[in-house]
Amino acid sequence: MTNDARMTAIVCHAPKDYRVEKIAKPQAGAREMVIRIGACGICASDCKCWSGAKMFWGGNGAASWVKVPVVPGHEFFGYVEELGEGAAGHFGVALGDRVIAEQIVPCEKCRYCRSGKYWMCEVHNIFGFQREVADGGMAQYMRIPPTAIVHRIPPELPLEDAAIIEPLACAIHAVNRGDIQLDDVVVIAGCGPIGLMMVQVAKLKTPKKLVAIDMVPERLALAKQYGADAVIDPGKEDAVAVVKRLTDGYGCDVYIEATGSPSGAVQGLDLIRKLGRFVEFSVFGKDTTADWSIIGDRKELDVRGAHLGPYCYPIAIDLLSRGLVTSKGIVTHGYGLEQWDEAIEVANSLDSIKVLMKP
């Protein structure tokens, strides 16, 4: 590959300043590879980053965690295009293989990486947010650095299924954090892409009752299709009253928050029973205020965070391969890179569930 080879990419420069540009194609160094992107999903965190949420940019709009200019995108998969020296053996792949890399690029040096807790890496480089390690997947090609965690994808897996492996791995991790038991009543709040995947995964745990909450009728219908025993539109029903009625007045055993809205967190504190397990997954765009005493003095809750999809990518690939989880109904739109402005507008609305960029 020549040094002057160019490719099309979306480049983030600042909030709401994402441009379709021609940039240099990446090249593979030692123990690195370059993949040709098959598809890259637009995540809710991408939408919040584009919008200028302060957890990405800081309170004054200046770049903080995001290091610009950078090609966004962490929900990608692709085909091995180029292998650097030693990369085939290092990653266990061959030219043409269909692969995915986990969204985090571990430093392999901090206390978390060295103890196997790589998803909490202190450096915490994520594809698509910091160019120091590598750009993201909203481009024609992408470099995979040596410390990336790579998984092969069966060639027969449909493109749409391959494109949701990353968010599905996150959903699996969050559901696992809930430690769902056979006699549990489980509430999943938020039926966006990952929430709908959580419904599918939680159903495989066979809880006593599975409840989904959202305000979009089409998403609630999908949740029912995926196995929810009951669905609640909190704009039309009293969610607390419905859940109490389903649980003899106690509240749910497990509450998984996937709304991305502060109201979803506060709602969960009301819905969950004493000694229940509250799993917080969402990335919020603004601060959340709640009566913190509910957690300790009133209910003694077990509050658990869920971040990324550690050790869950092989599980996600297996569930998709066996048809136990599906992208059907979740992947609703696909756009070329040149259609970025339309794609982010649709992704940032209720007109879509999961939007894919297809280079």
Side-chain angles (χ1 to χ4, degrees), residues 89-172:
H90 175 64
F91 289 119
V93 301
L95 289 173
D97 280 354
R98 191 156 62 151
V99 298
I100 186 171
E102 297 196 20
Q103 68 278 74
I104 191 165
V105 184
C107 74
E108 296 187 341
K109 297 177 181 179
C110 71
R111 65 182 293 179
Y112 303 108
C113 288
R114 291 171 65 87
S115 63
K117 308 297 191 300
Y118 68 89
W119 69 101
M120 297 307 299
C121 173
E122 188 69 11
V123 180
H124 220 75
N125 283 314
I126 301 284
F127 284 118
F129 292 105
Q130 306 95 13
R131 177 167 278 183
E132 290 93 334
V133 173
D135 279 317
M138 294 189 192
Q140 291 176 297
Y141 298 91
M142 179 180 177
R143 179 177 63 88
I144 305 298
T147 62
I149 302 171
V150 173
H151 306 276
R152 287 188 296 175
I153 303 171
E156 65 273 12
L157 200 68
L159 180 146
E160 289 77 12
D161 281 359
I164 69 162
I165 291 171
E166 187 274 343
L168 177 55
C170 293
I172 292 167

Side-chain angles (χ1 to χ4, degrees), residues 291-341:
D291 181 357
W292 203 243
S293 61
I294 293 174
I295 295 170
D297 184 59
R298 288 169 54 188
K299 291 189 176 181
E300 195 174 324
L301 299 177
D302 189 351
V303 179
R304 305 176 180 186
H307 179 56
L308 306 185
Y311 301 106
C312 293
Y313 281 67
I315 300 171
I317 293 168
D318 177 65
L319 292 179
L320 289 165
S321 296
R322 291 193 285 152
L324 296 174
V325 175
T326 182
S327 63
K328 291 178 181 177
I330 293 176
V331 175
T332 56
H333 293 75
Y335 294 94
L337 295 175
E338 294 80 3
Q339 299 171 291
W340 165 255
D341 289 338

Side-chain angles (χ1 to χ4, degrees), residues 4-343:
D4 61 350
R6 312 289 283 178
M7 69 173 183
T8 301
I10 297 162
V11 182
C12 165
H13 292 273
K16 297 188 178 179
D17 184 6
Y18 286 49
R19 310 170 198 169
V20 179
E21 299 180 0
K22 289 290 185 180
I23 65 173
K25 281 185 179 180
Q27 293 183 302
R31 297 202 310 163
E32 294 182 342
M33 65 178 169
V34 171
I35 63 173
R36 175 174 55 85
I37 297 297
C40 183
I42 299 179
C43 176
S45 63
D46 293 317
C47 292
K48 287 184 169 69
C49 185
W50 175 84
S51 299
K54 71 177 182 178
M55 87 277 283
F56 297 105
W57 297 99
N60 60 2
S64 55
W65 190 62
V66 180
K67 301 298 186 292
V68 295
V70 64
V71 176
H74 56 275
E75 294 185 0
F76 59 84
F77 81 90
Y79 305 84
V80 179
E81 178 84 4
E82 178 191 356
L83 290 165
E85 182 182 354
H90 175 64
F91 289 119
V93 301
L95 289 173
D97 280 354
R98 191 156 62 151
V99 298
I100 186 171
E102 297 196 20
Q103 68 278 74
I104 191 165
V105 184
C107 74
E108 296 187 341
K109 297 177 181 179
C110 71
R111 65 182 293 179
Y112 303 108
C113 288
R114 291 171 65 87
S115 63
K117 308 297 191 300
Y118 68 89
W119 69 101
M120 297 307 299
C121 173
E122 188 69 11
V123 180
H124 220 75
N125 283 314
I126 301 284
F127 284 118
F129 292 105
Q130 306 95 13
R131 177 167 278 183
E132 290 93 334
V133 173
D135 279 317
M138 294 189 192
Q140 291 176 297
Y141 298 91
M142 179 180 177
R143 179 177 63 88
I144 305 298
T147 62
I149 302 171
V150 173
H151 306 276
R152 287 188 296 175
I153 303 171
E156 65 273 12
L157 200 68
L159 180 146
E160 289 77 12
D161 281 359
I164 69 162
I165 291 171
E166 187 274 343
L168 177 55
C170 293
I172 292 167
H173 180 54
V175 169
N176 284 343
R177 291 285 284 160
D179 191 23
I180 295 172
Q181 303 298 308
L182 296 173
D183 60 347
D184 281 340
V185 173
V186 178
V187 171
I188 295 175
C191 292
I194 293 184
L196 289 169
M197 295 178 211
M198 289 176 180
V199 170
Q200 296 184 65
V201 174
K203 190 64 176 181
L204 296 175
K205 299 280 189 177
T206 62
K208 180 179 180 181
K209 196 170 292 292
L210 178 59
V211 182
I213 299 178
D214 202 276
M215 298 182 72
V216 181
E218 294 80 6
R219 297 184 179 192
L220 291 177
L222 275 174
K224 285 283 284 186
Q225 179 181 321
Y226 294 147
D229 299 297
V231 296
I232 302 171
D233 179 347
K236 299 178 179 178
E237 299 178 271
D238 184 336
V240 175
V242 174
V243 172
K244 290 289 183 70
R245 187 166 64 246
L246 293 172
T247 58
D248 297 324
Y250 287 101
C252 62
D253 303 282
V254 179
Y255 182 88
I256 302 178
E257 198 289 309
T259 68
S261 170
S263 61
V266 177
Q267 170 186 259
L269 295 177
D270 292 331
L271 284 176
I272 198 167
R273 67 165 171 83
K274 296 177 181 178
L275 302 174
R277 298 181 296 286
F278 187 119
V279 179
E280 180 52 63
F281 173 80
S282 288
V283 175
F284 294 97
K286 54 186 176 181
D287 293 343
T288 299
T289 301
D291 181 357
W292 203 243
S293 61
I294 293 174
I295 295 170
D297 184 59
R298 288 169 54 188
K299 291 189 176 181
E300 195 174 324
L301 299 177
D302 189 351
V303 179
R304 305 176 180 186
H307 179 56
L308 306 185
Y311 301 106
C312 293
Y313 281 67
I315 300 171
I317 293 168
D318 177 65
L319 292 179
L320 289 165
S321 296
R322 291 193 285 152
L324 296 174
V325 175
T326 182
S327 63
K328 291 178 181 177
I330 293 176
V331 175
T332 56
H333 293 75
Y335 294 94
L337 295 175
E338 294 80 3
Q339 299 171 291
W340 165 255
D341 289 338
E342 181 180 354

